[in-house]
Amino acid sequence: MASLWSSLERDVFNPQKKRLLENIRVWKTGKKKKMSILCVVVDAFRPMQPFLVKVKVDRGEQYKIAYKWPLAELKLVDGKTLNQASLDFDLQFDKVYKWTTSSFDEKKTFIRCLWKLNHRFLASSITFVNVPSCAAEGRQRSQEDRKDTAEMESQEELTVYQEMTPKEAADVLKLMEEYEPLVNNSVAFAEQLSNDLQVLDEANLRAIISSEKQVTQLMGSIDEALVEVDRMEETLQIYDELLGSVKQQMDHIHRENSLLHHVISNKTRLMDEILFLTTHLDLGKEHCDALSQADLSSPSRVKACIAAAEALSACMNILIQPGYRKLQAVAEQLIMFETLKQNFENSFIGHITNIFELQGNAQVPALGQPIDKLSAPSHGLHHEELVPYTPLMAWLKSTNPVLFCDLPKIYAQNLSRLYDREIKAFFEHAKTFLLGRRKGSLQESAEKPMGSRQWCRWSLPGSREGLQDTPDKGNVVRMLEQVLRELQPLCTAEQQFIEEFFQLSRDAADLQVLEASASKEAESTASPEDPPCAKPRSQLEEPTTHLLCEIFSCLEPELRGFVDVCNKVHPFGCLQVLVALNDSIFEMWGSSSALPSSFLNTVLGNMLLLAKSSFNKYIGSLCKEIEEAKVPSKMKGGILPAVIHFEEFVNFSEEVFRTARRRGELDKAHLRLASSVFSSINSLSSANLKVNTDMVMMENFYHIHCFLCQKKIHCLEAKKIEAKQRYSEHMEKYVIKYLGQPLEKLNHFFEGVKARVAQGVKEEEVSFQLAYSKQELRKVIEKYPGKEVKRALENLYRKIHKYLSPEENLLPVVWHAMEQEFIRQYQEFEDLIQRCYTGSGIAMEFTMEDLLSYFNSITLSNM
């Protein structure tokens, strides 16, 4: 223990200026593998603060502090010693630490140390439970402390002294120096001090006797002062009696002045209230006339009515005391104000309703007249006609919200009729521009279903083929973008007008809250490919949106119908519609003139979702047609129709999406179509073709790989790698299958040799097998002289050249692969002869050089 104590002090605590009080070896309860040392230490300098330190011993017998707790953070010590001695104890800091020690005495000593430090430094803030020895010791210790305290107090009372001041100390030293010779003789020195004391006492007595006369004189002066004070008190009493009557008179005057002040104050307040009422409850005659007549026929009279209405509101909104309303004049004036207000409200509502009805019944230009440019209707004149009445609308909203709530509904009911006619005419014009035909042709195009399209070669927009019956102005993307550009100012202007005219705009704080909540919901519900403006309609459930939905009730159905026509104009029309809607929505969202909660953005968001759905359905139908397409049994090879259709779609879509801002849907479509094409090619393995299936699959996968390398589409990189892998696999199968034909018997012979070796026959014993003897080998080799091998290779070349498509230029690649495989087989045959027929002198009748010359001559003769 001594060595452990000294080691801990020397290596751990002395460098940290700590003093070790107690230590104990412990481990966590239930885990005896890891031994630790708990140490109780205090600072070696003041103020001393106690700590509990956990020390670990590493493999090199080096001590390391694992954790340190201030003892002030210790809340509870549980000794777990009630009925029997236990080696476990708990220490509770922020959490409970359960420890077990090897010695009960060490545990008692450690807990006693904690108990002492608790009483000395922590004012008994730590709770000790299940520690009976500490409790008894605590009671005994408290009695001893009280006893020691009493003894110390008594000693302090006995030994109380007053410290000398520096001056007194100097006087004592001076006295000691003066009588230094006598200090050595204590008896003489004491006598000298006694004599000096007697002399001082005599001097004090003489001083007291000499001051007695002065004391007598002082007492006489005090008696004279008391007599003068009595005389002054009598004089003051006389003056007080004389002033008593004057005080009564002054109090009476003060009361009179106070009453007079209250009268003046009341008159002033009364005059102020009368002036307040007459000033603020007085409506000018010109204002009364303007409100009574309610003439809104000219701008000047409208301004007069606005001023009169504002003056009336100012009079009616004045805060007056409830008692004033009982005054007859005030009551009559308020009744007059209410009558003027109600009459003017009815007149104004009738006037503005007539304007709404006239605007709703306005005529729309006929479709029969020639139009050179597509343009949406403008309601600027209608808005300008209503703008002067905006202050009166605000006044009506503040004075009578119930009547005001009906006006937006009336406006929407009347204007919706006008917008229905104008929007329908606008989309009729757009369809005419798109198709270049009249109404009958439009109906024929609308009745033509999308699913009736048959597979054909659709050329790109830049080529003339495939677009002979579609005029230049019928371009789907350009026309749809133009329609959306024309609709944006129409809807934005109407939304801004109704927000200002009907006071529907929100405060800035409300708008921020709306945008924050809308963005959070859009992030949680929308897909990553959705634009930020495609918000659910539930986010815009507010008066403005309700009003716009009623005004533009036919906009979404007409736009949906126009999108359907766009889908049917071209086989890939849904692709063009998706691009146009995506770009238009992002362009509107980024525009500074677009509103954050634009009604048109919401409609376009719904159209975009519809376009995505149509596009996905179309891609699904294409994938299904590709996968279910049957290859004719008479097919002699070449590129499959599914591969050609896939190329046409990719070429067209890449051209359309060349400037698109988002292409997530297109990438998904490319992957789906590519997977379907691969599946269609793989289905050839089960088809009964007159040509080799591996050759056809090799050609098609090679064609797809070359096409994807040319296009460099990022999302199809994996498909490009897969296509390369697949065409390599099928080319290997094709080469192996056709390569066995020139040396068929020789190939079968050596396959049997390899089978015998694989079955466990030793290589040197293979020649003793009857079917694979040396004589049989010589017979097989004699059947394949050099001329026969060259003739067989020429026939193989002509056969490959016959069935391979010349467009893909695969013949050199396949022929080179066959050359490499043939050389590998030749080397393998030579190796088997050397290993299994050693010393027989048997060799092939053509060498490697002959084989290379055969391939070179065949290649050169067919170039």
Side-chain angles (χ1 to χ4, degrees):
M1 181 61 109
S3 61
L4 174 62
W5 189 290
S6 58
S7 298
L8 288 172
E9 283 191 330
R10 181 183 66 252
D11 299 336
V12 180
F13 299 118
N14 285 342
Q16 298 185 6
K17 296 182 180 181
K18 306 287 184 184
R19 185 159 59 90
L20 178 63
L21 299 181
E22 192 60 61
N23 64 56
I24 183 173
R25 293 180 181 269
V26 295
W27 60 87
K28 291 184 179 179
T29 303
K31 298 180 181 178
K32 195 174 180 180
K33 296 181 180 180
K34 296 183 179 179
M35 181 78 70
S36 303
I37 304 172
L38 289 181
C39 302
V40 180
V41 298
V42 295
D43 294 327
F45 51 85
R46 292 182 183 274
M48 291 188 294
Q49 183 179 1
F51 294 91
L52 181 65
V53 181
K54 179 182 175 182
V55 180
K56 288 187 176 180
V57 184
D58 58 12
R59 296 181 179 178
E61 295 298 327
Q62 297 292 327
Y63 299 103
K64 182 178 179 182
I65 295 178
Y67 207 85
K68 182 170 69 173
W69 300 273
L71 204 59
E73 296 180 1
L74 181 60
K75 301 176 181 178
L76 176 69
V77 177
D78 188 357
K80 295 188 176 180
T81 306
L82 286 176
N83 299 326
Q84 58 182 358
S86 174
L87 299 179
D88 299 336
F89 64 95
D90 296 345
L91 300 180
Q92 180 179 349
F93 291 91
D94 291 337
K95 66 176 184 178
V96 178
Y97 295 88
K98 298 180 180 294
W99 305 102
T100 303
T101 181
S102 59
S103 172
F104 182 70
D105 294 334
E106 289 183 5
K107 169 187 167 183
K108 287 174 60 178
T109 305
F110 181 77
I111 294 178
R112 186 178 296 109
C113 178
L114 293 177
W115 186 86
K116 291 179 180 179
L117 292 176
N118 177 38
H119 282 271
R120 182 175 179 183
F121 293 101
L122 305 176
S124 301
S125 62
I126 303 175
T127 304
F128 288 81
V129 296
N130 299 328
V131 188
S133 60
C134 287
E137 184 178 350
R139 291 193 295 271
Q140 182 181 357
R141 181 62 181 270
S142 61
Q143 294 175 1
E144 292 177 358
D145 290 344
R146 288 196 295 270
K147 185 176 179 181
D148 293 342
T149 303
E151 291 177 357
M152 290 176 62
E153 290 178 354
S154 62
Q155 289 180 0
E156 288 179 357
E157 291 177 356
L158 294 175
T159 58
V160 170
Y161 69 93
Q162 184 176 2
E163 187 177 358
M164 290 189 298
T165 63
K167 184 177 181 183
E168 290 175 344
D171 292 340
V172 171
L173 291 176
K174 183 177 180 182
L175 182 63
M176 296 285 287
E177 291 174 358
E178 184 177 352
Y179 295 99
E180 184 178 358
L182 297 176
V183 170
N184 297 328
N185 189 352
S186 61
V187 177
F189 182 66
E191 291 178 355
Q192 181 64 36
L193 290 177
S194 179
N195 294 333
D196 291 343
L197 182 60
Q198 290 177 2
V199 172
L200 290 175
D201 289 340
E202 291 177 1
N204 287 336
L205 289 174
R206 289 192 184 96
I208 292 171
I209 294 171
S210 62
S211 63
E212 182 178 359
K213 184 178 179 181
Q214 296 177 357
V215 171
T216 305
Q217 293 177 357
L218 179 60
M219 295 299 292
S221 300
I222 291 173
D223 292 337
E224 293 176 0
L226 289 175
V227 173
E228 186 66 24
V229 168
D230 293 338
R231 188 178 62 82
M232 290 296 296
E233 288 180 352
E234 293 175 357
T235 305
L236 290 174
Q237 186 176 1
I238 295 170
Y239 288 161
D240 187 52
E241 292 175 355
L242 293 174
L243 292 174
S245 60
V246 177
K247 180 182 178 183
Q248 294 177 357
Q249 294 175 4
M250 294 301 296
D251 290 341
H252 179 70
I253 294 172
H254 178 70
R255 286 194 296 271
E256 293 292 335
N257 288 337
S258 179
L259 292 174
L260 182 60
H261 177 72
H262 283 302
V263 171
I264 296 173
S265 177
N266 289 336
K267 289 182 178 180
T268 303
R269 291 179 60 187
L270 179 59
M271 184 59 66
D272 291 341
E273 293 297 331
I274 292 173
L275 290 176
F276 174 79
L277 293 174
T278 55
T279 302
H280 292 88
L281 294 181
D282 183 28
L283 187 64
K285 186 177 183 302
E286 64 280 3
H287 293 329
C288 293
D289 294 340
L291 294 173
S292 300
Q293 297 173 4
D295 188 359
L296 301 171
S297 58
S298 64
S300 60
R301 293 179 180 179
V302 171
K303 292 180 180 179
C305 290
I306 292 173
E310 292 176 352
L312 179 61
S313 296
C315 293
M316 297 185 68
N317 294 333
I318 289 297
L319 297 177
I320 58 177
Q321 298 182 11
Y324 290 168
R325 297 182 180 273
K326 297 179 181 180
L327 298 175
Q328 182 178 358
V330 175
E332 292 176 354
Q333 194 75 357
L334 293 178
I335 292 173
M336 183 191 71
F337 291 161
E338 186 66 27
T339 303
L340 288 175
K341 181 177 79 70
Q342 292 179 1
N343 293 336
F344 183 72
E345 286 174 353
N346 296 331
S347 300
F348 173 67
I349 291 174
H351 180 78
I352 202 72
T353 302
N354 290 333
I355 296 179
F356 293 163
E357 292 177 353
L358 290 175
Q359 291 184 356
N361 295 326
Q363 296 298 322
V364 179
L367 181 62
Q369 55 187 358
I371 301 175
D372 297 333
K373 182 180 179 182
L374 180 66
S375 61
S378 174
H379 282 208
L381 297 178
H382 295 164
H383 296 164
E384 291 177 1
E385 182 181 3
L386 292 173
V387 164
Y389 301 101
T390 303
L392 291 177
M393 295 294 293
W395 171 81
L396 181 63
K397 183 178 181 180
S398 63
T399 57
N400 198 335
V402 177
L403 292 178
F404 175 82
C405 288
D406 295 333
L407 290 180
K409 300 176 183 178
I410 297 172
Y411 176 82
Q413 292 173 0
N414 287 278
L415 268 294
S416 62
R417 298 197 303 269
L418 176 61
Y419 274 111
D420 286 352
R421 297 192 298 271
E422 292 178 341
I423 290 175
K424 289 179 180 178
F426 171 74
F427 278 106
E428 289 294 329
H429 295 164
K431 292 174 184 177
T432 303
F433 272 83
L434 179 64
L435 301 176
R437 289 169 287 183
R438 301 312 305 164
K439 195 170 183 180
S441 299
L442 294 179
Q443 293 178 353
E444 293 175 3
S445 175
E447 292 173 357
K448 184 180 179 181
M450 287 183 61
S452 62
R453 303 189 192 102
Q454 301 295 330
W455 274 104
C456 59
R457 291 206 171 207
W458 294 97
S459 57
L460 292 176
S463 63
R464 295 180 180 178
E465 183 184 358
L467 294 178
Q468 295 176 356
D469 59 341
T470 304
D472 179 65
K473 62 182 178 181
N475 184 273
V476 176
V477 176
R478 182 168 56 84
M479 182 54 59
L480 185 55
E481 289 179 349
Q482 185 177 357
V483 167
L484 297 179
R485 280 196 300 268
E486 292 294 331
L487 289 176
Q488 181 186 5
L490 177 68
C491 296
T492 303
E494 186 62 33
Q495 180 173 348
Q496 291 176 344
F497 169 74
I498 64 172
E499 286 181 351
E500 295 174 2
F501 186 71
F502 294 106
Q503 312 296 317
L504 299 178
S505 59
R506 296 175 175 264
D507 296 335
D510 295 337
L511 277 176
Q512 291 178 359
V513 172
L514 178 65
E515 292 175 8
S517 62
S519 62
K520 289 180 180 179
E521 187 174 349
E523 290 175 1
S524 61
T525 58
S527 65
E529 296 299 330
D530 291 336
C533 56
K535 304 175 183 176
R537 189 175 292 273
S538 59
Q539 294 180 5
L540 298 176
E541 291 296 334
E542 54 183 11
T544 302
T545 304
H546 286 301
L547 205 58
L548 289 171
C549 288
E550 188 173 356
I551 294 174
F552 295 105
S553 58
C554 72
L555 176 60
E556 189 167 342
E558 289 293 329
L559 185 57
R560 189 188 300 266
F562 183 72
V563 168
D564 290 340
V565 172
C566 293
N567 288 334
K568 296 169 184 176
V569 167
H570 194 279
F572 297 144
C574 58
L575 185 65
Q576 295 174 305
V577 169
L578 182 62
V579 173
L581 285 174
N582 253 325
D583 292 347
S584 298
I585 289 177
F586 277 101
E587 182 180 355
M588 292 180 186
W589 186 255
S591 176
S592 58
S593 61
L595 299 177
S597 59
S598 172
F599 170 77
L600 182 60
N601 285 345
T602 307
V603 174
L604 294 184
N606 296 333
M607 291 296 102
L608 180 60
L609 295 178
L610 179 64
K612 288 183 178 180
S613 177
S614 300
F615 178 71
N616 291 331
K617 290 180 181 178
Y618 181 68
I619 295 300
S621 65
L622 293 185
C623 293
K624 185 177 180 181
E625 290 182 12
I626 289 174
E627 293 173 358
E628 296 179 354
K630 294 183 180 180
V631 180
S633 58
K634 297 181 180 181
M635 180 177 178
K636 295 183 179 181
I639 308 303
L640 297 176
V643 177
I644 297 173
H645 298 153
F646 174 71
E647 289 183 7
E648 293 172 353
F649 179 83
V650 171
N651 287 328
F652 185 82
S653 61
E654 288 298 320
E655 179 66 21
V656 173
F657 272 84
R658 183 168 48 86
T659 58
R661 301 188 183 185
R662 192 179 293 270
R663 52 176 294 144
E665 296 294 329
L666 179 63
D667 292 341
K668 295 177 184 177
H670 282 168
L671 290 173
R672 290 179 62 185
L673 286 174
S675 299
S676 298
V677 171
F678 279 35
S679 176
S680 177
I681 297 175
N682 292 332
S683 65
L684 293 176
S685 59
S686 60
N688 296 323
L689 301 179
K690 292 185 177 181
V691 294
N692 185 270
T693 305
D694 290 320
M695 181 194 71
V696 178
M697 297 174 73
M698 173 191 66
E699 283 185 316
N700 282 273
F701 280 120
Y702 178 79
H703 183 82
I704 293 175
H705 176 263
C706 295
F707 175 73
L708 295 180
C709 289
Q710 177 186 359
K711 287 298 178 181
K712 298 179 181 180
I713 301 174
H714 179 71
C715 68
L716 295 178
E717 285 296 322
K719 293 295 181 182
K720 181 179 71 175
I721 297 173
E722 182 181 356
K724 181 178 180 180
Q725 180 182 358
R726 301 294 292 277
Y727 95 75
S728 300
E729 293 175 357
H730 289 290
M731 183 173 66
E732 182 179 354
K733 293 179 181 179
Y734 177 71
V735 168
I736 292 174
K737 181 176 181 180
Y738 274 87
L739 198 59
Q741 295 179 2
L743 307 176
E744 184 175 1
K745 294 182 179 180
L746 190 63
N747 190 21
H748 287 323
F749 182 86
F750 282 108
E751 287 292 333
V753 171
K754 288 191 291 184
R756 293 294 184 276
V757 173
Q759 292 174 359
V761 179
K762 294 182 180 180
E763 294 180 351
E764 57 271 13
E765 296 178 358
V766 172
S767 60
F768 297 103
Q769 299 284 330
L770 183 61
Y772 303 101
S773 62
K774 298 177 183 178
Q775 291 79 7
E776 293 295 329
L777 176 60
R778 288 191 181 95
K779 291 179 182 179
V780 174
I781 290 176
E782 288 175 357
K783 293 180 180 180
Y784 295 100
K787 293 181 180 180
E788 184 66 25
V789 171
K790 182 177 180 181
R791 187 182 306 108
L793 290 176
E794 289 175 349
N795 293 333
L796 179 62
Y797 183 89
R798 285 192 295 271
K799 189 174 182 179
I800 295 173
H801 183 270
K802 177 181 178 182
Y803 289 108
L804 281 179
S805 300
E807 296 86 358
E808 302 302 323
N809 196 22
L810 267 176
L811 181 60
V813 179
V814 175
W815 185 246
H816 178 71
M818 286 195 169
E819 179 181 358
Q820 297 298 321
E821 182 64 21
F822 201 95
I823 292 173
R824 187 193 65 78
Q825 286 189 4
Y826 176 83
Q827 293 174 348
E828 183 181 9
F829 294 162
E830 289 287 338
D831 182 63
L832 288 174
I833 292 173
Q834 293 295 328
R835 288 189 287 114
C836 300
Y837 300 92
T838 306
S840 62
I842 301 175
M844 305 287 286
E845 296 192 3
F846 56 92
T847 62
M848 178 70 72
E849 290 76 10
D850 297 336
L851 188 61
L852 293 175
S853 65
Y854 297 159
F855 276 98
N856 290 333
S857 62
I858 293 173
T859 303
L860 294 175
S861 62
N862 290 277
M863 289 183 62

